[in-house]
Amino acid sequence: MIPFVRRADGVHLAMSAGERGMLTSLTEQLRQVLDGDLSADPVAERMFPDAYPDDDDASAEFRKYTQSDLLTQKTTNATTVHEWLTGTRDGALGAEDEQAWLRTLTDLRLTIADRLGIVDAGDEERSVAADSGVGLRDVYDWLGYVQEHLITTMTGGA
């Protein structure tokens, strides 16, 4: 499985139909999370962390001026990735597309990490030991591979 390939005109999507289907579903789910009530979803703390964890007033002020724009950007990024996965966009990824992919993959991993209870590297190791089959942890790891492969491909290492 090679998710991306570099050609003379840039980076191209090279996922299998199954991989595209999996990532399309995950991206749609991410868009549902972003369109939903984030105040009721603990993943919001991971995607929109406090800028000033020791100062509630400063954090509220910061969030007031930034969260809407961040939410719009995350939604736009997820939509961009969805369009590439479903064939609405084709050809080589542009610089903005590459960044949208990287950011969406990060948001997907943050969301899944929250669902798995992964906060740090120790939690990640415990999650591996506790997972006894193909599941959400495998998806989390696969997304990390896709993200790493995209970076390697973008920088000319693949």
Side-chain angles (χ1 to χ4, degrees):
M1 165 202 84
I2 299 175
F4 301 94
V5 63
R6 177 172 282 289
R7 296 185 186 146
D9 63 341
V11 176
H12 289 256
L13 191 59
M15 292 181 181
S16 71
E19 292 165 335
R20 280 181 186 238
M22 165 82 79
L23 198 47
T24 298
S25 175
L26 291 170
T27 304
E28 289 168 351
Q29 292 174 49
L30 176 61
R31 289 166 55 183
Q32 289 173 354
V33 167
L34 293 171
D35 288 342
D37 181 7
L38 286 173
S39 65
D41 193 332
V43 78
E45 290 181 36
R46 298 291 289 273
M47 294 178 80
F48 306 99
D50 277 339
Y52 306 98
D54 297 329
D55 186 340
D56 290 341
D57 291 336
S59 284
E61 183 80 5
F62 182 80
R63 193 174 307 274
K64 174 181 162 184
Y65 291 109
T66 62
Q67 186 161 343
S68 178
D69 289 342
L70 286 172
L71 180 59
T72 298
Q73 188 60 54
K74 288 177 181 297
T75 303
T76 299
N77 290 335
T79 299
T80 297
V81 170
H82 189 268
E83 289 172 352
W84 279 99
L85 291 166
T86 58
T88 303
R89 295 187 186 203
D90 197 10
L93 276 66
E96 288 183 22
D97 298 320
E98 292 170 350
Q99 291 304 308
W101 271 89
L102 291 172
R103 291 177 178 138
T104 298
L105 290 167
T106 296
D107 287 342
L108 287 168
R109 284 181 46 91
L110 283 172
T111 302
I112 293 171
D114 183 74
R115 304 303 192 237
L116 290 171
I118 297 173
V119 176
D120 59 28
D123 293 336
E124 220 172 285
E125 293 304 316
R126 284 187 291 281
S127 175
V128 169
D131 194 3
S132 62
V134 176
L136 196 54
R137 175 54 201 239
D138 295 309
V139 173
Y140 175 81
D141 289 339
W142 176 72
L143 289 169
Y145 165 76
V146 172
Q147 191 171 37
E148 179 182 8
H149 190 270
L150 175 56
I151 292 168
T152 302
T153 304
M154 285 169 48
T155 58

